Amino acid sequence: MDSYNKIIRVSNALYNDGLEKAKVRDLSGAIQSLRKSLQYYKANTQARNLLGLIYYEMGEVVDALSEWVLSRSLEPKGNPAEKYLEEIQSNRSQLNAVNQTIKKYNQALLYCQQDSRDLAIIQLKKVLSMNPGLVKGYQLLALLYMEEGKYELARKELWAATEIDTNNGTTLRYLREVNICLQESHSKLGRKEKEESASYQSGNDTIIQPTNFKDNSAVMTILNLVIGVGIGVLITCFLVIPGIQQNAVSQAKKAELEANDSLTTRNQEIKSLENQIQELEKQIKEQENDSKDAQKIVDSYEQLIVAYDAFAQQNIQGAGDTIANVDPKLLGTQAKAIYDSLNTQVNEQYINAVYAQAEQDYRSNRFPEAVTGLEKVVQAEEDYNDGYAIYYLAQSYRQTGDMENAQKYYQRMVELHPGTSRARRSQQYLDEMAAQQPQ
């Protein structure tokens, strides 16, 4: 029991630590503490409910639902998880939004694998507009911006993620990389501007102009205009028109991808949900087995305490009846020692007390009660009191009409004590019962 109570205390301490971290929006740290709490004691529904709320806050709705379903199965009555599940299930628009979020996020991942960063960015923006708390969505969008060198946009997304989860390790690592890249970019830009500028003195004024400045004449100006027009025509022919064609091709590919998007995402969603259902069923089964084992341990300790109390009050029969329900394999070292000592002291006195009561019931014609007591005595010591226990048991069964058991114990009487008057009477009863049986 000390070990069991210690495990409960450790689990509750980790739950309290997770609650404190959640209050300051250190959601990642809170998740770690709550998971450790559940490793110590899986049936800690407070920790499981709080973990579900944190997952929901971070946009991980499926993980939140999983924790609440497990919590409800462990504690069906008076559990706040029931209210959380009802609120989500009753709001069809919210459920649809969750499904769309999962679908679009998976599609964004698929675009990333296909190196279609532009389409992935568009998809992630839709995801975050539907689920503004999805931390991993901000992280993936920032990573795409970093790949394209758009560090300011990446930093903006990462700051949005830190407002939800202040101490997320992945977010902080990305943010540090972005700040380093921005510092390097600013220093390079400063050097370039310095190199591309020149200055000269005009009276008391300093004039700054680009180093490549040229003072073109009128002829050069006209020539430049002609060249510019020619270049514009060439750009139109070689860049703009192919660009329009390329854009049309890109739009066609995009339409094709969107046409296949529904089928691909649906298959992925179905597979993901099937895996989640299997995992939930496995966890529920483990929780049920753990709960049953824990209940067996508690029941054995309770039966041992009741038996000890009965023995202390000189209720030997009550102590013997109760200690028979104790499973010594489930007891700790100290409790096992108490059980062995108590069982040794109770056993002999218990048989004597049970037999005395059963014999009194037999002589008072209370045969069903006599059967109950004598069965206990014979099971513990078959030839108790020189075979009288067997003989009285056979007689009691015959009086209650149970001829099958009566015949069984008359036969044992004849085998164990041949030549005695009880054996001869037993044989007479056996012969009578044999004669009454149909041929």
Side-chain angles (χ1 to χ4, degrees):
M1 290 296 289
D2 291 341
S3 299
Y4 179 77
N5 291 331
K6 184 177 180 180
I7 289 172
I8 298 298
R9 287 197 298 271
V10 172
S11 178
N12 289 335
L14 288 168
Y15 160 73
N16 291 330
D17 182 62
L19 181 61
E20 292 300 321
K21 289 179 179 178
K23 289 179 180 179
V24 295
R25 299 203 69 81
D26 181 9
L27 303 187
S28 298
I31 287 175
Q32 291 180 356
S33 296
L34 293 172
R35 282 178 174 172
K36 289 181 181 178
S37 173
L38 293 174
Q39 286 176 357
Y40 278 95
Y41 184 48
K42 294 181 180 180
N44 191 340
T45 54
Q46 283 186 316
R48 200 171 288 281
N49 289 341
L50 179 58
L51 182 58
L53 289 173
I54 292 174
Y55 279 140
Y56 189 82
E57 178 70 12
M58 295 177 68
E60 304 288 350
V61 181
V62 174
D63 290 338
L65 292 174
S66 300
E67 297 300 332
W68 291 335
V69 168
L70 280 171
S71 176
R72 183 177 62 180
S73 70
L74 293 170
E75 187 180 337
K77 295 183 180 179
N79 193 332
E82 182 69 29
K83 182 181 70 173
Y84 303 151
L85 292 170
E86 287 179 357
E87 288 179 357
I88 293 178
Q89 291 171 352
S90 62
N91 191 341
R92 302 301 303 177
S93 61
Q94 186 178 7
L95 279 176
N96 290 333
V98 169
N99 291 332
Q100 289 296 320
T101 300
I102 296 171
K103 171 178 163 183
K104 292 183 180 298
Y105 182 80
N106 289 336
Q107 186 61 49
L109 289 175
L110 183 61
Y111 286 147
C112 291
Q113 293 172 1
Q114 296 173 349
D115 201 24
S116 300
R117 289 197 290 268
D118 291 341
L119 296 178
I121 290 172
I122 293 171
Q123 202 76 300
L124 284 172
K125 286 181 177 179
K126 292 179 182 178
V127 170
L128 294 174
S129 67
M130 298 170 66
N131 189 357
L134 189 59
V135 173
K136 65 182 182 182
Y138 290 108
Q139 293 171 345
L140 181 56
L141 182 57
L143 196 60
L144 290 170
Y145 281 141
M146 291 168 65
E147 285 288 326
E148 295 190 347
K150 299 176 181 180
Y151 299 112
E152 289 290 350
L153 293 176
R155 184 164 62 176
K156 178 183 175 183
E157 301 301 331
L158 292 172
W159 276 115
T162 58
E163 290 179 0
I164 301 168
D165 185 5
T166 58
N167 200 29
N168 188 288
T170 302
T171 302
L172 296 177
R173 186 170 68 253
Y174 288 175
L175 195 58
R176 184 169 59 252
E177 293 294 329
V178 166
N179 289 333
I180 292 173
C181 292
L182 282 173
Q183 290 175 2
E184 293 177 353
S185 177
H186 290 161
S187 66
K188 288 179 180 178
L189 182 61
R191 287 197 300 271
K192 185 175 180 182
E193 290 177 350
K194 204 169 191 180
E195 292 171 355
E196 291 181 352
S197 64
S199 64
Y200 64 88
Q201 197 74 21
S202 176
N204 293 326
D205 296 328
T206 300
I207 307 300
I208 300 175
Q209 68 176 25
T211 55
N212 58 356
F213 175 77
K214 293 182 180 179
D215 187 12
N216 294 325
S217 62
V219 176
M220 292 300 296
T221 300
I222 295 172
L223 181 61
N224 287 336
L225 286 173
V226 174
I227 294 172
V229 172
I231 292 174
V233 173
L234 292 173
I235 289 174
T236 301
C237 294
F238 293 100
L239 296 180
V240 176
I241 293 176
I244 293 172
Q245 294 175 344
Q246 181 65 31
N247 186 49
V249 174
S250 178
Q251 290 295 330
K253 289 183 178 179
K254 182 178 178 181
E256 183 181 357
L257 286 172
E258 289 179 352
N260 295 328
D261 174 60
S262 177
L263 181 60
T264 302
T265 305
R266 186 182 298 274
N267 291 336
Q268 292 176 349
E269 184 178 350
I270 290 173
K271 185 176 180 181
S272 175
L273 289 175
E274 287 176 349
N275 292 336
Q276 290 170 18
I277 289 171
Q278 292 176 359
E279 183 63 26
L280 284 173
E281 290 175 347
K282 180 180 177 182
Q283 293 180 17
I284 290 171
K285 188 174 181 181
E286 290 177 354
Q287 292 292 337
E288 290 175 349
N289 291 335
D290 291 345
S291 299
K292 290 178 181 177
D293 292 341
Q295 187 60 44
K296 288 180 181 178
I297 294 172
V298 172
D299 290 344
S300 288
Y301 274 94
E302 288 180 350
Q303 292 295 317
L304 180 61
I305 292 170
V306 172
Y308 191 87
D309 182 63
F311 180 75
Q313 297 180 22
Q314 299 300 315
N315 182 5
I316 303 302
Q317 186 167 350
D321 290 339
T322 306
I323 203 169
N325 299 325
V326 177
D327 187 350
K329 296 178 182 178
L330 301 178
L331 302 177
T333 304
Q334 294 181 348
K336 179 67 165 54
I338 294 173
Y339 167 83
D340 292 338
S341 176
L342 182 62
N343 191 44
T344 301
Q345 296 178 60
V346 167
N347 192 39
E348 184 176 354
Q349 299 180 48
Y350 172 71
I351 294 175
N352 293 337
V354 171
Y355 179 76
Q357 181 62 46
E359 185 179 15
Q360 183 178 352
D361 291 333
Y362 172 77
R363 297 189 184 282
S364 300
N365 296 328
R366 295 191 294 271
F367 297 111
E369 291 82 355
V371 165
T372 302
L374 290 168
E375 274 285 4
K376 293 179 181 179
V377 174
V378 171
Q379 291 298 324
E381 186 178 339
E382 184 181 28
D383 200 26
Y384 185 82
N385 194 21
D386 197 24
Y388 273 97
I390 295 177
Y391 180 70
Y392 290 152
L393 180 57
Q395 290 283 72
S396 298
Y397 271 127
R398 184 172 63 83
Q399 293 294 337
T400 59
D402 188 348
M403 296 305 176
E404 182 178 353
N405 278 316
Q407 186 176 9
K408 169 185 172 182
Y409 287 108
Y410 280 136
Q411 186 64 43
R412 289 298 294 156
M413 187 69 230
V414 171
E415 293 172 355
L416 293 175
H417 297 277
T420 62
S421 60
R422 284 169 288 135
R424 286 192 293 273
R425 285 195 297 271
S426 296
Q427 186 62 54
Q428 291 175 2
Y429 288 129
L430 287 171
D431 294 340
E432 291 175 4
M433 286 186 282
Q436 293 173 2
Q437 290 179 356
Q439 297 298 324

